[in-house]
Amino acid sequence: MGRASTRRRVMRVTLGAEPVLRPDTVVGEEPLEIRVGGQPLAVTMRTPGDDMDLAVGFLLGEGLIATAADIAGMRYCAGPEGSVDEEGRLTYNVLDVTLAAGVPEPEVDLRRNFYTTSSCGVCGRASIDAVRLRGRYDIRDDPLRITAEVLADLPGRLRRAQRLFAATGGLHAAALADPDGGVLAVREDVGRHNAVDKVVGWAARAGMVPLRGHVLLVSGRASFELVQKALLAGIPVLAAVSAPSALAVDLAEESGMTLAGFVRGSSMNLYTGSHRVILPGVAAAR
């Protein structure tokens, strides 16, 4: 298995002081090729670890499966190049997924697009209408309610659980939480899409999808792709430490999702679905 981090010697430069050579921990980054039925589907640059969760979350987030039961098996295998070392041993950078009987194989055009766009998810090919048609779960009537205090506290809980970020400072993270603020799973990766896929894949393999009554927290911004992934997993609340995009807000509003951005310290922006957030001393807005 590839390494999630590695040690390097770096020159630490501080203005007004002598440079110092010292060890530093650097986050790992390696390609992962995801195959379906032996055929290449996608290549993503990821932090090694939780690869099977990543593959399941990716397939679910692209609407290719509904639950982990749609997968019959997964295995690491050798690829055409770069997947074995000098002694012929696997480097664990190629993962082949076998779909369950009756689950449609990805279309050829879809394979080509995923392979060339790497981890960009739906970049350049999807629309809100396409996502709505592929979505299997209706989150509009999800009864989840969460207090603003609990929501505001989640980024701190996420940061405290980020072991690799504490060592490297170079990772995105995603967390799955319950309405009481209990953090159920945290995953880190150099790719923010990958971090979400890993945590959703973990939940799918645990039989928790659709994730009604749960909150997805991401350490960066809320893009259209991340809202899509949350929607296809049946998650009613997405909270981000940074800003959402306009298209992300459009999709969240269209699907009935609660979208919170700039969740930092004691404040946040509620872009859609504010009725699920219990405000201090104020009746929840709609």
Side-chain angles (χ1 to χ4, degrees), residues 8-70:
R8 294 284 190 270
R9 287 186 63 81
V10 302
M11 179 179 288
R12 176 68 174 180
V13 177
T14 303
L15 298 181
E18 290 292 324
V20 177
L21 288 175
R22 71 177 194 182
D24 188 40
T25 303
V26 182
V27 64
E29 182 178 26
E30 296 182 15
L32 176 68
E33 178 180 312
I34 300 174
R35 298 178 179 177
V36 174
Q39 298 299 313
L41 174 67
V43 176
T44 183
M45 298 302 297
R46 100 296 190 194
T47 300
D50 303 305
D51 290 338
M52 292 188 178
D53 289 344
L54 170 58
V56 173
F58 177 82
L59 294 176
L60 194 149
E62 297 301 334
L64 301 177
I65 63 172
T67 68
D70 288 337

Side-chain angles (χ1 to χ4, degrees), residues 77-78 83-91:
C77 57
S83 58
V84 293
D85 62 19
E86 294 81 359
E87 298 179 9
R89 296 173 299 191
L90 291 179
T91 57

Side-chain angles (χ1 to χ4, degrees), residues 76-110:
Y76 288 102
C77 57
E81 59 183 56
S83 58
V84 293
D85 62 19
E86 294 81 359
E87 298 179 9
R89 296 173 299 191
L90 291 179
T91 57
Y92 297 94
N93 284 339
V94 179
L95 185 63
D96 193 13
V97 179
T98 301
L99 298 178
V103 179
E105 295 278 335
E107 299 174 5
V108 174
D109 288 345
L110 197 62

